[in-house]
Amino acid sequence: MSKPRHIVAFSGGKDSSALAIYLHDPERWRKALGKRNLPPRAPLEEVEYVFCDTGTELPETYDYLERLEAYLGKPIKRLSANVPPSKQGEPDKTPFDHYLELYGGFLPSPSMRWCTRMLKLKPFEDYIGDDPVINYVGIRADEGEWRVDPKTQRRYFQHRKGYISTKPNITTVFPFIEDGIVKEDVYRILNESGVGLPEYYKWRSRSGCYFCFFQRKSEWVGLLEHHPELYKRAMAYEKIDPKTGERFTWLGTESLEELARPERVAEIKRRAAERAERLRKARPNITLMEQFFDELRDMEDGSSGCNICHL
């Protein structure tokens, strides 16, 4: 049997980035984070770093990948879905546009994630082929929920596993779960390494395409204000059937045109500020970072993103 390949797939988000930094020199970070009495973990040396590029990522994501390459001292290979060449005189299509056409113009949604399957997982699995692979995934030790065993009535913590490849030649491992790395540790790794957070985290809590349907409404407002040209492109994907009146929108409940109205933007901002204030009063010691990321997102919506897109 051939020697397994070691692969870390980046989403452009904080957890997968911190994982690569952690595995680059695990003993350094274990010492810094006070993680003791753990089995030895050698640095990943023969490792492949990959990023599945849909052609519709935020500019800040590409900038962040370059920052990571500089720190890791190794290139991050960009993977992309196979797209046939455009006809002469026609503009090239992004992988997303190609598959959107194949899916009859139906926008992806939480219940039909063809974008993740075709633009992220498939290029990743094609790149791997049939080789034995160890795939390192950055799910943290604090991601999951407490459950009760119906037979023993004992409480246990069920870690989140998420949306990952199930090919038999891929062995998925979770170093953060194994080593007890939690959210606070991830922030420390990124800050103390000097890599920091992607710039889009100033207004958005997830990586992924600029039109990702998992964005909360306040993040759509962030896209409108930081990248108005991308907001217009996302708006152009939305359609209304003139015969039936059926709406094909990213949000389902309202169109991006409706959301962009000044009075609606003001309302979304006001509600986001009220949620932040309620959370601050309920948890006086909460950090600004925690407030912006998971807690506020969970208060606004319970949707769960795709690991290969958002970690």
Side-chain angles (χ1 to χ4, degrees):
M1 186 174 180
S2 59
K3 186 178 178 181
R5 296 161 61 188
H6 297 264
I7 296 182
V8 176
F10 288 95
S11 68
K14 67 184 189 305
D15 292 333
S16 61
S17 302
L19 177 66
I21 295 170
Y22 180 79
L23 295 176
H24 188 63
D25 191 353
E27 292 308 316
R28 169 197 169 183
W29 293 110
R30 286 175 169 187
K31 183 177 180 180
L33 299 172
K35 305 295 181 182
R36 300 180 177 87
N37 302 319
L38 294 172
R41 185 184 293 279
L44 279 186
E45 296 179 349
E46 295 183 17
V47 58
E48 301 170 50
Y49 298 121
V50 302
F51 173 73
C52 297
D53 190 349
T54 64
T56 53
E57 312 290 335
L58 288 165
E60 294 94 330
T61 299
Y62 298 116
D63 293 341
Y64 193 59
L65 291 176
E66 292 180 3
R67 201 187 312 171
L68 285 163
E69 287 176 323
Y71 179 89
L72 297 169
K74 194 167 186 176
I76 299 171
K77 186 173 182 60
R78 275 64 164 175
L79 309 180
S80 184
N82 290 325
V83 175
S86 299
K87 296 179 181 179
Q88 189 172 4
E90 292 183 355
D92 291 335
K93 293 180 181 177
T94 66
F96 176 82
D97 288 327
H98 170 69
Y99 277 96
L100 179 65
E101 188 175 297
L102 290 183
Y103 279 86
F106 284 93
L107 296 177
S109 67
S111 60
M112 186 178 289
R113 307 183 195 183
W114 61 256
C115 52
T116 302
R117 185 171 62 255
M118 303 308 298
L119 304 180
K120 294 286 187 177
L121 285 177
K122 190 174 187 304
F124 178 68
E125 292 177 346
D126 289 346
Y127 172 73
I128 288 171
D130 296 323
D131 295 338
V133 161
I134 299 176
N135 179 33
Y136 297 83
V137 174
I139 294 177
R140 305 186 312 269
D142 56 347
E143 289 189 273
E145 61 181 354
W146 285 99
R147 296 183 178 181
V148 177
D149 188 309
K151 294 182 178 180
T152 65
Q153 295 302 304
R154 291 183 178 178
R155 295 177 76 240
Y156 66 96
F157 191 76
Q158 178 65 56
H159 289 103
R160 181 173 76 87
K161 295 301 183 183
Y163 201 72
I164 56 178
S165 177
T166 57
K167 284 190 70 174
N169 57 309
I170 300 176
T171 300
T172 301
V173 296
F174 305 92
F176 281 173
I177 294 177
E178 295 168 0
D179 293 1
I181 302 297
V182 297
K183 182 167 49 183
E184 181 182 354
D185 298 327
V186 164
Y187 296 146
R188 282 194 60 187
I189 290 169
L190 293 174
N191 289 332
E192 294 179 17
S193 67
V195 172
L197 292 165
E199 288 297 312
Y200 63 74
Y201 274 153
K202 293 178 179 178
W203 54 276
R204 176 175 166 160
S205 64
R206 286 184 170 120
S207 54
C209 299
Y210 65 84
F211 47 62
C212 182
F213 45 79
F214 279 119
Q215 290 180 96
R216 58 184 189 248
K217 292 180 180 179
S218 58
E219 292 174 324
W220 280 108
V221 170
L223 181 67
L224 174 63
E225 294 179 340
H226 288 82
H227 294 291
E229 74 289 352
L230 295 182
Y231 191 93
K232 289 181 180 178
R233 290 185 196 175
M235 190 188 303
Y237 284 115
E238 297 187 322
K239 299 288 186 290
I240 298 178
D241 190 317
K243 294 182 179 180
T244 65
E246 188 174 5
R247 295 152 61 97
F248 301 93
T249 60
W250 294 110
L251 289 166
T253 55
E254 66 182 324
S255 69
L256 293 185
E257 182 178 4
E258 292 166 338
L259 187 146
R261 293 170 181 168
E263 63 274 17
R264 181 65 174 127
V265 168
E267 179 187 15
I268 291 170
K269 287 184 172 182
R270 176 181 58 79
R271 290 186 176 181
E274 289 173 353
R275 282 191 295 271
E277 181 62 17
R278 289 198 300 270
L279 183 59
R280 187 188 65 78
K281 289 180 178 178
R283 296 180 57 193
N285 296 323
I286 190 173
T287 66
L288 289 174
M289 192 68 70
E290 289 176 320
Q291 186 182 101
F292 182 70
F293 285 106
D294 302 310
E295 284 77 10
L296 269 181
R297 182 174 65 214
D298 292 343
M299 288 178 70
E300 186 168 278
D301 63 73
S303 58
S304 176
C306 307
N307 289 344
I308 200 167
C309 296
H310 300 308
L311 280 180

